[in-house]
Amino acid sequence: MKHERETLEAVIAARNSAINASSRAVQNPGDPQAMQQLGNAEGVLTGALSRLMVLSESYPELKADRAMTQVMEELSSTENRIAFARQAFNDAVTLYNTKSESFPSNLVANTFNFTVAELLAEATPEMRNAPRVSF
């Protein structure tokens, strides 16, 4: 039971860390350190969620539980939403950077000292794919 509790606590801590990193990134999207911290926090969250899924597969009675099935579906859905939000953010940053460097909008950008925004890079290759949920 101790291992299960530690896994759940790790997922909760990783989730809270990702939320905090997201808040910092939203407040200052041009800060490369904030973007790096957000990518790292999401990587830790993905790892913790993977451990939770492995733990659930170790217990057949847990896998068969309806509540656990719903949790696994929600985890998969959350991973997909994170990937979609990351792509939408990167698209917006690319558009912003392109506009701020293109004439005539670059005149305004240079006048008001707009900075180049950093893309949110994926920290690990496994962050590219939603976790597989199998029962």
Side-chain angles (χ1 to χ4, degrees):
M1 290 302 281
K2 182 180 179 185
H3 177 67
E4 290 85 355
R5 190 173 119 221
E6 289 173 355
T7 301
L8 183 58
E9 287 173 353
V11 169
I12 292 169
R15 183 185 134 258
N16 291 337
S17 176
I19 289 170
N20 292 336
S22 176
S23 304
R24 286 190 300 272
V26 166
Q27 292 172 356
N28 194 0
D31 183 10
Q33 185 178 8
M35 293 297 119
Q36 182 65 33
Q37 288 174 348
L38 179 57
N40 290 341
E42 287 182 354
V44 170
L45 179 59
T46 300
L49 291 174
S50 296
R51 284 193 305 276
L52 179 62
M53 285 184 276
V54 167
L55 181 67
S56 73
E57 290 179 3
S58 299
Y59 296 95
E61 66 278 358
L62 185 60
K63 286 184 1 180
D65 186 44
R66 184 173 160 196
M68 190 60 189
T69 301
Q70 290 174 337
V71 167
M72 298 307 283
E73 288 174 8
E74 185 63 31
L75 289 176
S76 180
S77 174
T78 300
E79 287 292 325
N80 290 335
R81 286 192 307 262
I82 288 171
F84 178 77
R86 182 183 302 111
Q87 184 60 47
F89 177 84
N90 285 342
D91 291 345
V93 166
T94 300
L95 180 62
Y96 165 81
N97 287 339
T98 301
K99 286 285 192 180
S100 67
E101 294 175 0
S102 301
F103 184 80
S105 56
N106 67 339
L107 299 174
V108 174
N110 290 337
T111 302
F112 292 103
N113 296 321
F114 288 7
T115 59
V116 174
E118 294 291 323
L119 293 174
L120 182 58
E122 295 181 14
T124 59
E126 53 272 350
M127 288 177 62
R128 292 186 186 118
N129 301 319
R132 296 188 188 270
V133 180
S134 59
F135 293 101

